[in-house]
Amino acid sequence: MDHRLPRKSLGALLAIVLSFTGCAEWTYQRMNDPSRDVWQKPQGVVEKLSIMPGARVADLGAGGGYFTWHLSKAVGSRGTVYAVDIEEKAINMIFTEMVARGTPNVRPVRAEPHDPRLPEPVDLVFSCNVYHDMNDRVDYFRSLASSLRPGGRVAILDFHPRGFLSGMFGDRTDKEVVRGEMEAAGYRLLNDYDVVDRQHFQIFAKADQ
Ligand SMILES: C[S@@+](CC[C@H](N)C(=O)[O-])C[C@H]1O[C@@H](n2cnc3c(N)ncnc32)[C@H](O)[C@@H]1O
């Protein structure tokens, strides 16, 4: 019997270890691998966001900027994407890429875990694969409401806890948990999309709007 781990599992294990030991740059490069497009379907996701040209969008937990550049295209030259992250390495990577791509509508923002530090209210807060990482989410999103423009929305994608060992590392959240917490934070569900097989994708608006 062969007890060796398959190459793919080794890669995943290494990614988990590295993300805990702070080698974030390598982890971000891995997240930005174009092969991710096959399952992540970034164009399909951004299409569902119905972003108007000129909009202000926050990519909350932007990481290495995988979605940032798609969002930058959607808002156009008159719009702004705030690429928000708590990790300095993420901010530096996005800044370097922003200069290389010549995308002045992207502004990296170094956030605090409890405060996105957005310089102005936005039309959309977009967050992919971050929700499970956040603490005190109900309080966080309740106070985030003051950073939304009238009619503003919050879009959250996170991995479905599926399969053996799934969610063991706290790296996933049930769709119903996201929805329940967002409702407790003062939001209502606007859309529930099924674009990405591995992730749930829900869009919320303030309950009183
Ligand atoms: C798994 S990465 C996802 C990156 C990117 N959204 C993507 O889909 O490739 C999660 C990112 O969220 C960031 N993060 C975690 N908690 C955060 C918070 N409270 N505010 C802003 N960023 C946060 C982490 O530093 C990390 O870069």
Side-chain angles (χ1 to χ4, degrees), residues 5-64:
L5 274 172
R7 193 178 281 232
K8 257 190 175 167
S9 311
L10 268 176
L13 194 64
L14 193 60
I16 289 162
V17 171
L18 286 175
S19 61
F20 280 113
T21 52
C23 287
E25 229 166 87
W26 186 88
T27 315
Y28 290 138
Q29 271 156 15
R30 199 167 178 274
M31 282 179 211
N32 287 353
D33 192 304
S35 66
R36 178 177 169 188
D37 292 0
V38 175
W39 65 265
Q40 183 68 78
K41 302 183 180 152
Q43 271 137 3
V45 168
V46 172
E47 224 167 80
K48 293 290 186 201
L49 297 172
S50 306
I51 295 170
M52 301 297 285
R56 288 182 215 148
V57 175
D59 184 3
L60 181 64

Side-chain angles (χ1 to χ4, degrees), residues 28 31 36 59-64 66-67 84-87 90 111-113 128-130 133-134 140:
Y28 290 138
M31 282 179 211
R36 178 177 169 188
D59 184 3
L60 181 64
Y66 176 82
F67 269 104
V84 179
D85 208 287
I86 53 175
E87 282 286 340
E112 298 292 339
C128 176
N129 195 10
V130 182
D133 253 353
M134 303 178 80
Y140 187 95

